[in-house]
Amino acid sequence: MSATPPEQTAAEIVVVDYGLGNLRSVTRGLERAGAGVTISEDPDTFADADGIVLPGVGAFREGMDNAGPYREALAEAADRGQPIFGICLGMQMLLGSSEEAEHAGEGDVEGLNFVPGTNVRFDVDRKVPHMGWNELDVQREHPLVEGVDGEYAYFVHSYYADPDDEDAVVATADYGVDFPAVIANEEGTVFGTQFHPEKSGETGLRILRNFVDLCAE
């Protein structure tokens, strides 16, 4: 299924429809950022896109089970250096594992492992899930976070990424503990936001524009 692109687009983006995620909001946000967007269930469409978005809300096991048919195509895209942008659950799926499945008694669930590490549950004296606006603290340069240091984004999550390599952390936020709000692989081509850019007002739009610009290069 395709969304109608603007007359002139900076980049062609595929939003992966694997059964989880607010596809309409993500699509509208990307179109506002200047992208032509295709919502696709077909992994064969990935190779021709300038970039790929992996959205997602829900549980880690369900996400990985649903994404199973796309695992090989996503790995090939990552190997090509094609930009891959995971949002919320989609970001957590970029890692190798999650405590969420263990807490649910579901055993080990293997993530995509594009950014080695695991997802851990908040262990803080605060309400979980972490829900609402929080400030972004950029830790290092990456095209995705240009112009958003100190700005606020909208979060809804109970687990957060804990990458093996601290250099994978691009930006953090504070919720009783500094946690990664934005991560990226070593090459900088696979990245994700724990927050929802499509729900984060002008800050989110800037993130999406940065992504579209990166894909257009």
Side-chain angles (χ1 to χ4, degrees):
M1 180 173 59
S2 298
T4 302
E7 291 183 5
Q8 293 183 332
T9 58
E12 294 298 326
I13 307 299
V14 166
V15 175
V16 184
D17 181 5
Y18 64 104
L20 298 173
N22 193 342
L23 305 183
R24 296 295 183 189
S25 293
V26 172
T27 296
R28 285 195 297 267
L30 287 165
E31 288 177 342
R32 286 187 64 200
V37 183
T38 300
I39 300 172
S40 180
E41 300 175 349
D42 182 3
D44 289 340
T45 62
F46 295 179
D48 292 332
D50 296 313
I52 300 167
V53 173
L54 187 66
V57 292
F60 187 80
R61 171 176 279 282
E62 185 179 12
M64 289 312 308
D65 284 350
N66 286 20
Y70 307 99
R71 184 187 287 268
E72 183 177 352
L74 288 169
E76 291 172 353
D79 288 343
R80 286 193 297 268
Q82 203 169 358
I84 300 175
F85 183 5
I87 295 174
C88 196
L89 174 63
M91 186 196 89
Q92 295 183 7
M93 290 163 59
L94 300 178
L95 279 78
S97 63
S98 177
E99 290 182 352
E100 184 175 11
E102 298 171 18
H103 287 166
E106 297 169 341
D108 293 334
V109 177
E110 184 179 357
L112 295 169
N113 205 38
F114 297 154
V115 180
T118 191
N119 296 283
V120 299
R121 184 175 172 85
F122 279 110
D123 184 18
V124 295
D125 187 23
R126 298 194 184 188
K127 184 179 179 180
V128 177
H130 168 223
M131 183 180 300
W133 296 87
N134 208 332
E135 185 177 3
L136 301 177
D137 184 4
V138 172
Q139 302 296 305
R140 66 175 179 87
E141 290 185 357
H142 187 281
L144 193 69
V145 295
E146 184 177 344
V148 301
D149 189 28
E151 301 296 337
Y152 283 75
Y154 188 78
F155 294 80
V156 183
H157 61 121
S158 300
Y159 293 79
Y160 62 90
D162 184 18
D164 292 346
D165 183 354
E166 64 181 18
D167 288 339
V169 180
V170 175
T172 61
D174 177 24
Y175 194 66
V177 61
D178 285 334
F179 68 89
V182 183
I183 62 171
N185 69 346
E186 185 176 356
E187 295 77 16
T189 55
V190 176
F191 40 82
T193 60
Q194 183 59 69
F195 56 89
H196 289 272
E198 76 278 10
K199 298 180 181 179
S200 297
E202 290 301 314
T203 300
L205 183 58
R206 178 64 185 265
I207 291 273
L208 294 175
R209 283 177 175 155
N210 289 346
F211 170 62
V212 172
D213 288 346
L214 176 62
C215 293
E217 291 181 355

